[in-house]
Each structure stands twice: as structure tokens, then as C-alpha cells.
Amino acid sequence: NSCELLQEISLGHVVRNWKVRWFVLLQDKLLYYKIEGGKKEPSPKGRILLDGCTITCPCLEYENRPLLIKLKTKTNTDYFLECCSREERDSWALDITGAIHAGHPVQVQELHRMKNSFKLLENISLHNIVERMYDSSTGIKLTRNLDQGNRYKETFTGSALVDWLISNSFAVSRFEAVTLASMLMDENFIRPVGVRSTEATRSSDPSEKFLDDSTALYMFAESSKKNTSSKEEVHFNISELSGTIVKQGFLVKQGHKRKNWKVRKFVLRADPGFLHYYDPTKEDNKPVGGFSLRGCLVSALEDNGVPAGVKGNVQGNLFKIITKNDIHYYIQASSKAERVQWIEAIKPLT
């Protein structure tokens, strides 16, 4: 079979020092060429056989080189490739991963699905993430940054936090990592600094409040280590929490008073039928809200335009639950398929 040329571009490659190389990705190998006089030489300088390779992206082993891809061959040789931008790095990583698994089309399909996947860990703890972020050796690297002529100490960029969350296995895709970062910001663990990141928080779309961007700056919030709350505790009857768990996962919910949108972990129980939601920033694993599903109405909302009762420019994958006491809950799923799954799971319990 003839090899297919996917992409070619100039990337960095390290043995003991960094050198500019021109890379060409084929079906089963990565060729690299020297560049002389602005042109690549006709014969490759070397090759990386992709069979049995493992890829790490993002790779944070070099503090001053955040745009790395690491390849480890089956003979345990390490290659580090540096790209020009985060988008370029992620595009190359996806194509290289696809070539590594070329003989397994199901895995390739799964990789493309995961690129925009949304499935946060069920036992996620924002407190644990923040503690790891503070770690002096493996935590997020704090740097000085310039924004609109102002200097900020001990900050990190949006894209650096997304890379760190993926690298530390808190998320498997950038979409997931942005969702986590938004949760950290909503719960006052981190805060925006500078013009770009601060302006983004005014967006009515929850998915655009945190920027996966190398020019958007963030820092730890003053109260992030304390994170005390003066809210009254909500008490629930033990019987309503004793039902069989039918479904659970993270959804975005509109608040009743301030009408702001926050990520909550929802747990659907049967016998008796209840839907409870939890604040993922809390360690005690107690619901912050919930209601009986008996007599409830559940329905999908139109994806075109902002439905009545929804505050802000929040649209797409929304559904509404109306309790028998006429309390309206507006909830957003990550996809149409997930919305259908939740509605179908809730309906038999009403």
C-alpha cells in the first residue's frame, strides 16, 4: 500500500539540543528533514516508526516549552516535538494518534469523538484539583504576564490551565477542561485578571466565560483556600436518598434566585423517584437541592433561540422539568443525545 501524505510542517525535535526540522506524517511513520536555505533537503534526516508508539499531549515536561508533543517508541526512545501554536499542536497530535491506531478504525473513531467529549469524573473534587494546582513541583506554573500595559504577578493563562488539567488526567478533552476551569472560576477558586479574561466573564453563554487562550490571564482567588460558606444547610429525608440510582452525571442548571448557570452533579433515583443535585466543590457529598418526580412534567426546549424563562443567551440542548408544585427547573445537557437520555430516564418516574 502506498503511504498517504497527511501534513507537513516545521517542528522542533530534541535529542540533546533543539533543532528545527520539517516533519511529514505518513501512514506508519513520521519522517523529518533538515532545512537548508529555507528549503527541506530531498532525503529525510531520520524517521520515527509509529507502530507501538505512545503519545503524550499536552506534554509539560519542559516548563518553558508548553506546546510540546512527546512520542515514546516501543524501543523506549523519547522524541519531543514543539509546535507554533496550541491549535497546531492539537491538530498534529490527533493526526499522529490516528496514524498510530490506523489498523484499528474503532479506536480512531473514538479518538475523534473524545476530542469534543463531555464526561467528567463522577468523583471529581474541585478541592483536590486546587490542592494539586498549588503543588510547588507538579502544580500550575505561575508567571509574570503583561496585559494592556499592566504587569501581573503569579498568573497563568487559560490555555496553560487547560493543558495542566488534561496532563494531570482531570479531563480527557479541552472541552472537558474548559468546563472544569469554569467551575473553578464560578466557585471562586480562581479569578480572571486583565481585560480579555474579565470581559469574557460577562458573556451570557456559560461555555464562553472561561477562555482557552494563551492571552487570557487568571490567578488564584484570595478566598480559594478558605472557601467557607454561610449558606444554610439543606436537609433531606433519608428515605428519598435510599432509592436505586438510575442515572447520574454533570449538567448545567439555572438558579432560581439569581438565574445564573452553574454545573451541578445530578443523581436520578427510583423507588422512590427523586432527582437530587450536588455542588461538586463541596467535600461532604450532600445534595444542595432535589425534588420528587411524582407528578412532574419533563420536556425538551427548542434549540432555536432563547426559550422563555431562560436568562441570558443560553440555548441548545435545554430541557425543563415542572414539579407538581409548579416549580420550573431549566437544565442544559452537553449534547442532544445526552438530553434525550436524561428525559427518557426521568419520564417513567413521573
Side-chain angles (χ1 to χ4, degrees), residues 68-86:
L68 289 180
I69 297 170
K70 178 182 178 181
L71 289 175
K72 181 184 282 291
T73 68
K74 63 181 180 181
T75 58
N76 285 327
T77 302
D78 291 341
Y79 292 87
F80 294 88
L81 318 180
E82 184 175 31
C83 305
C84 297
S85 68
R86 193 263 298 165

Side-chain angles (χ1 to χ4, degrees), residues 34-100:
K34 285 184 69 175
I35 298 177
E36 292 292 339
K39 296 181 180 179
K40 73 178 180 73
E41 293 187 343
S43 300
K45 174 77 175 176
R47 64 179 183 172
I48 304 170
L49 297 177
L50 297 177
D51 180 43
C53 264
T54 57
I55 183 170
T56 303
C57 178
C59 171
L60 304 182
E61 292 188 27
Y62 289 82
E63 184 177 338
N64 296 323
R65 297 181 184 272
L67 300 176
L68 289 180
I69 297 170
K70 178 182 178 181
L71 289 175
K72 181 184 282 291
T73 68
K74 63 181 180 181
T75 58
N76 285 327
T77 302
D78 291 341
Y79 292 87
F80 294 88
L81 318 180
E82 184 175 31
C83 305
C84 297
S85 68
R86 193 263 298 165
E87 292 78 11
E88 183 183 70
R89 179 200 64 190
D90 291 350
S91 176
W92 268 91
L94 193 67
D95 286 337
I96 292 171
T97 307
I100 291 172

